[in-house]
Amino acid sequence: MLKSLSNNTISFRGINYENKNAANEIKARTALFGITDIHGNFSAMSRLVTASDKFTQRYNSTSTDTFKVSSGDIGISISEDKQKYSLDFLRRIGIDIAALGNHEFDLGSKKLAKLIAESPIKFVSANFDADDENPLKALMAKYIKPGETDPTRKIFNSYIITKPDGNRYGFIGAVPTNMDKVVAGFTKLGINVFDADKTKKAIAEEIRNLKTQGVNKIIFVSHLGDELDEKIAEDEGTTGIDVILSGHSHRKIEKVVMSHANEPVVIMQSGENGANYSELEVDFDDNGVIQKAVGEVKNTEAHEENTEFEQETSKKYGSKEPLGQIIDDIENTKAANAMAEIMMGIICP
């Protein structure tokens, strides 16, 4: 049933979009499993393992291309141990691509760079740069495209995955543009986060890079928040994105908007604290245009906890339940940052 309808937006209780005028045959069928803003809710992670396993089983014997994607803020802690727990969770469910949220930076740049360097997960966040002495800068070579040697390029550029059937997908990511307001000790991170306009330009550059390499199915893994995501979906300069798996604004979103080229862009966000996850199926034509999309934000509580995951992580890390969570953005004042750092030290020693 329609929730709202404007000139350029189609929003359903669940997504059920079909291009009635489609003339091209289906070239690729794709299914996406999305999570975001779990905030260290480890009980939810255990249930999400079960949901992820069922997603895998559902498509195992089909020709559908599948991806599992994280839009950031999976962990929340200055404790490296607790962030490792979150990374173990991402590895366990088989995340293919992950964006960095603001809470991944709770660790500071040095520890975050260490965890990323040791992780098999591909991180994409094209709208920030790092100081030369920052260890995050050294990770650039891990993601640089073949044949590129320019040391001024952004770290964590777009990433291409080619499926066995030959279908190619491009992934682009972004961190929040308001990192200075939501990360305690931001000035100590040694990073330069782009503003909204520069972020759009960075994303546009990655879209051009992907299209140059023959990729026309593009998925934006975003921790910008849905308001900016929708502007990017509709902006002429960033035309070419097909799906946005959103995060950071902590809302449940199931929406289809039309791009500047009058092509559908699906936007989904699964809320916060692991209470929900998203599943989406899309059919692409040969030009990489969505012909059909069916999706829903689903309730995590519908699934049982995964006993094996519980036992493994409890043995390795012990009990990791968070004591609480700050739910409002912290303004970037000295007093607020000092209080945040003190509280994080108490909660996560």
Side-chain angles (χ1 to χ4, degrees):
M1 179 180 294
L2 286 174
K3 286 163 64 179
S4 64
L5 182 62
S6 64
N7 289 335
N8 63 347
T9 303
I10 307 168
S11 184
F12 296 88
R13 295 186 188 279
I15 291 169
N16 188 12
Y17 168 84
E18 186 171 2
N19 182 355
K20 301 294 185 180
N21 299 318
N24 298 332
E25 64 177 290
I26 302 304
K27 174 66 175 179
R29 287 186 171 163
T30 312
L32 295 156
F33 180 94
I35 56 172
T36 190
D37 293 283
I38 294 177
H39 297 140
N41 187 338
F42 301 111
S43 294
M45 290 182 191
S46 180
R47 296 179 186 276
L48 287 166
V49 168
T50 303
S52 172
D53 287 349
K54 290 181 178 179
F55 175 86
T56 299
Q57 293 165 6
R58 188 180 315 133
Y59 293 104
N60 254 347
S61 60
T62 73
S63 58
T64 303
D65 296 332
T66 62
F67 299 98
K68 296 179 181 180
V69 178
S70 164
S71 297
D73 275 10
I74 303 307
I76 174 173
S77 181
I78 60 173
S79 164
E80 186 175 358
D81 209 32
K82 292 178 180 178
Q83 295 283 16
K84 281 183 177 179
Y85 187 119
S86 298
L87 275 176
D88 278 355
F89 160 70
L90 295 181
R91 283 194 291 266
R92 169 59 181 82
I93 67 174
I95 288 292
D96 297 288
I97 296 287
L100 293 171
N102 45 290
H103 280 300
E104 276 74 22
F105 287 88
D106 288 345
L107 285 174
S109 293
K110 185 176 180 180
K111 290 182 179 179
L112 176 60
K114 179 176 180 289
L115 289 185
I116 290 175
E118 295 171 351
S119 173
I121 297 167
K122 307 302 181 187
F123 288 88
V124 285
S125 293
N127 67 328
F128 77 98
D129 203 351
D131 298 342
D132 288 342
E133 64 274 15
N134 190 324
L136 287 169
K137 189 75 169 184
L139 294 178
M140 176 180 145
K142 184 177 180 182
Y143 300 92
I144 204 164
K145 299 180 181 68
E148 288 184 344
T149 57
D150 181 0
T152 65
R153 284 194 57 79
K154 299 178 296 300
I155 56 179
F156 309 130
N157 299 309
S158 53
Y159 193 82
I160 297 172
I161 295 179
T162 304
K163 288 295 189 177
D165 55 14
N167 291 325
R168 306 181 79 210
Y169 299 81
F171 294 84
I172 304 170
V175 298
T177 58
N178 65 338
M179 289 273 281
D180 60 327
K181 292 181 173 63
V182 294
V183 177
F186 171 79
T187 56
K188 299 177 183 178
L189 292 177
I191 63 173
N192 170 37
V193 177
F194 303 164
D195 62 20
D197 287 340
K198 194 172 180 181
T199 289
K200 288 180 183 179
K201 291 177 182 177
I203 294 167
E205 179 185 355
E206 296 306 321
I207 292 170
R208 287 192 296 270
N209 289 339
L210 291 169
K211 288 186 174 181
T212 298
Q213 297 176 79
V215 177
N216 61 14
K217 294 176 285 297
I218 298 176
I219 297 153
F220 180 35
V221 188
S222 170
H223 206 77
L224 294 173
D226 60 287
E227 290 185 6
L228 183 51
D229 286 335
E230 187 163 341
K231 291 177 182 178
I232 288 170
E234 298 171 347
D235 191 271
E236 182 179 6
T238 47
T239 297
I241 293 172
D242 299 294
V243 175
I244 300 178
L245 295 179
S246 182
H248 192 47
S249 45
H250 303 167
R251 293 203 287 258
K252 292 197 298 181
I253 296 166
E254 304 158 317
K255 181 180 291 186
V256 178
V257 304
M258 303 310 290
S259 73
H260 184 81
N262 200 33
E263 295 173 352
V265 181
V266 178
I267 304 176
M268 297 193 77
Q269 184 177 166
S270 54
E272 62 175 330
N273 301 331
N276 305 285
Y277 62 98
S278 63
E279 289 191 1
L280 174 68
E281 295 181 2
V282 291
D283 288 346
F284 291 97
D285 69 10
D286 197 45
N287 296 316
V289 178
I290 292 177
Q291 303 298 292
K292 186 176 181 180
V294 179
E296 184 180 0
V297 172
K298 298 186 175 183
N299 187 352
T300 302
E301 287 287 336
H303 301 280
E304 296 180 354
E305 294 184 354
N306 184 284
T307 304
E308 182 182 350
F309 177 76
E310 288 283 323
Q311 292 174 345
E312 288 177 359
T313 51
S314 294
K315 183 177 180 181
K316 191 173 182 179
Y317 298 107
S319 176
K320 297 295 175 183
E321 286 299 328
L323 299 181
Q325 180 200 344
I326 300 172
I327 60 174
D328 292 321
D329 287 350
I330 303 170
E331 291 299 325
N332 190 25
T333 65
K334 290 182 180 180
N337 282 337
M339 182 60 70
E341 289 175 341
I342 290 170
M343 290 303 297
M344 289 298 289
I346 293 171
I347 294 172
C348 308

